[in-house]
């Protein structure tokens, strides 16, 4: 029986447009479970242990870049090393991803943005329905972090797919969920590079727009969903 895992994470909130939070980004990572990535996961865990962290160490890329939470006393190069380990895991693992970007000032109110999200995700699934129909079951992994996303995903999948399951996740249990977080962050950085500039915290970790694009943004785009 063929199964497809879909790991979903988001960046942003449903509040009003604000300069510090202009975008809402959703990333979906697709993993055909017949493609074994156990080695990639084991290697990533070993690399974090070698850096001095626990086996179930969780990377939250936003706080890592902003030097918040557990990362508050880390040097930029130490934070970049953590980011890079997770990045190469996402780059090498046999996965694909799709990212949706919404500019909040275009919608005025959250219900309009929510409707747009549902429409775009539905159109993507419909356009690539033959791919999803190759699988006997589709399993959605989400942490129920935002009720609007939970509602959108369930409504869209129920409409577009014949069979699917839903499983609530904890980030520490799934490296692919952490990879979805990383890709959300990279997409946000890509948009910021094109429409403005990087913050001091971002520059400290990635050094320059050129380095960020060459070493991270451009390579990860090779993993984008290829059926479109």
């Amino acid at each position: 029986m063929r199964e497809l895992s879909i790991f979903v994470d988001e960046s942003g909130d449903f509040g009003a447009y604000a300069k510090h939070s202009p975008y809402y980004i959703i990333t979906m990572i697709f993993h055909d479970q017949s493609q074994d990535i156990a080695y990639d996961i084991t290697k990533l865990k070993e690399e974090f242990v070698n850096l001095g962290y626990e086996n179930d160490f969780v990377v939250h890329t936003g706080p890592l870049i902003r030097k918040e939470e557990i990362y508050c006393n880390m040097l930029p190069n130490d934070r970049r090393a953590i980011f890079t380990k997770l990045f190469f895991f996402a780059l090498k693992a046999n996965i694909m991803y799709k990212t949706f970007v919404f500019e909040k000032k275009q919608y005025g109110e959250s219900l309009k943005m929510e409707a747009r999200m549902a429409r775009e995700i539905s159109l993507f699934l419909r356009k690539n329905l033959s791919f999803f129909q190759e699988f006997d079951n589709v399993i959605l992994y989400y942490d129920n972090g935002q009720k609007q996303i939970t509602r959108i995903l369930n409504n869209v999948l129920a409409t577009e797919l014949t069979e699917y399951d839903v499983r609530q996740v904890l980030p520490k249990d799934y490296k692919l969920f952490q990879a979805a977080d990383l890709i959300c962050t990279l997409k946000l950085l890509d948009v910021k590079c094109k429409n403005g500039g990087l913050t001091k915290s971002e520059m400290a970790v990635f050094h320059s727009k050129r380095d960020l694009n060459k070493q991270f943004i451009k390579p990860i785009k090779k993993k984008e969903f290829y059926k479109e």
Side-chain angles (χ1 to χ4, degrees):
M1 187 168 98
R2 291 191 66 191
E3 291 189 331
L4 178 71
S5 297
I6 305 178
F7 291 84
V8 178
D9 199 21
E10 79 287 322
S11 174
D13 59 65
F14 280 83
Y17 169 84
K19 187 175 180 180
H20 71 275
S21 179
Y23 302 102
Y24 198 102
I25 297 172
I26 301 172
T27 293
M28 307 177 78
I29 283 184
F30 307 98
H31 174 227
D32 178 348
Q33 291 190 11
S34 67
Q35 304 295 320
D36 190 5
I37 62 170
Y39 171 79
D40 303 288
I41 293 172
T42 298
K43 183 179 179 183
L44 178 62
K45 290 181 177 180
E46 289 175 349
E47 289 178 342
F48 283 144
V49 169
N50 290 337
L51 289 176
Y53 303 105
E54 298 294 329
N55 187 59
D56 60 352
F57 178 64
V58 177
V59 181
H60 297 289
T61 55
L64 181 145
I65 292 170
R66 295 190 298 269
K67 199 177 179 182
E68 298 172 348
E69 300 174 2
I70 65 170
Y71 314 103
C72 63
N73 295 317
M74 291 185 184
L75 296 172
N77 284 346
D78 294 331
R79 289 181 283 130
R80 182 185 173 100
I82 294 171
F83 188 95
T84 301
K85 298 294 185 187
L86 183 60
F87 169 78
F88 277 111
F89 162 75
L91 190 65
K92 293 177 181 179
N94 201 332
I95 59 173
M96 300 182 293
Y97 75 88
K98 172 66 178 176
T99 299
F100 303 86
V101 180
F102 304 92
E103 191 172 8
K104 291 166 64 174
K105 66 181 180 182
Q106 294 182 2
Y107 302 100
E109 60 181 47
S110 62
L111 286 177
K112 289 183 178 179
M113 187 170 72
E114 189 174 334
R116 181 66 180 184
M117 290 175 175
R119 180 174 180 271
E120 289 202 17
I121 296 173
S122 290
L123 287 173
F124 167 74
L125 293 175
R126 204 171 302 157
K127 184 176 180 179
N128 298 285
L129 190 58
S130 60
F131 167 77
F132 294 101
Q133 288 178 335
E134 294 175 8
F135 298 91
D136 301 292
N137 192 28
V138 174
I139 305 172
L140 172 68
Y141 293 84
Y142 182 57
D143 67 352
N144 291 342
Q146 296 192 16
K147 63 182 181 180
Q148 296 92 336
I149 299 300
T150 301
R151 180 167 56 241
I152 290 169
L153 292 172
N154 277 285
N155 289 342
V156 168
L157 291 179
T159 301
E160 304 298 339
L161 301 180
T162 304
E163 295 287 342
Y164 78 97
D165 291 330
V166 178
R167 296 179 188 171
Q168 186 173 352
V169 304
L170 295 175
K172 70 180 182 65
D173 295 330
Y174 294 95
K175 296 303 182 187
L176 288 182
F177 187 76
Q178 296 174 51
D181 169 75
L182 175 136
I183 292 173
C184 277
T185 295
L186 284 174
K187 187 61 180 181
L188 177 60
L189 291 169
D190 187 22
V191 173
K192 290 177 70 173
C193 284
K194 292 174 179 176
N195 298 326
L198 301 176
T199 65
K200 290 182 179 180
S201 296
E202 291 160 353
M203 289 291 287
V205 174
F206 299 108
H207 306 154
S208 69
K209 289 183 182 180
R210 181 179 180 277
D211 285 352
L212 172 61
N213 185 63
K214 181 179 179 181
Q215 297 180 31
F216 297 100
I217 293 174
K218 189 175 180 179
I220 203 64
K221 288 180 178 179
K222 297 176 183 178
K223 308 296 290 188
E224 283 187 289
F225 195 91
Y226 64 82
K227 294 288 185 181
E228 291 189 285

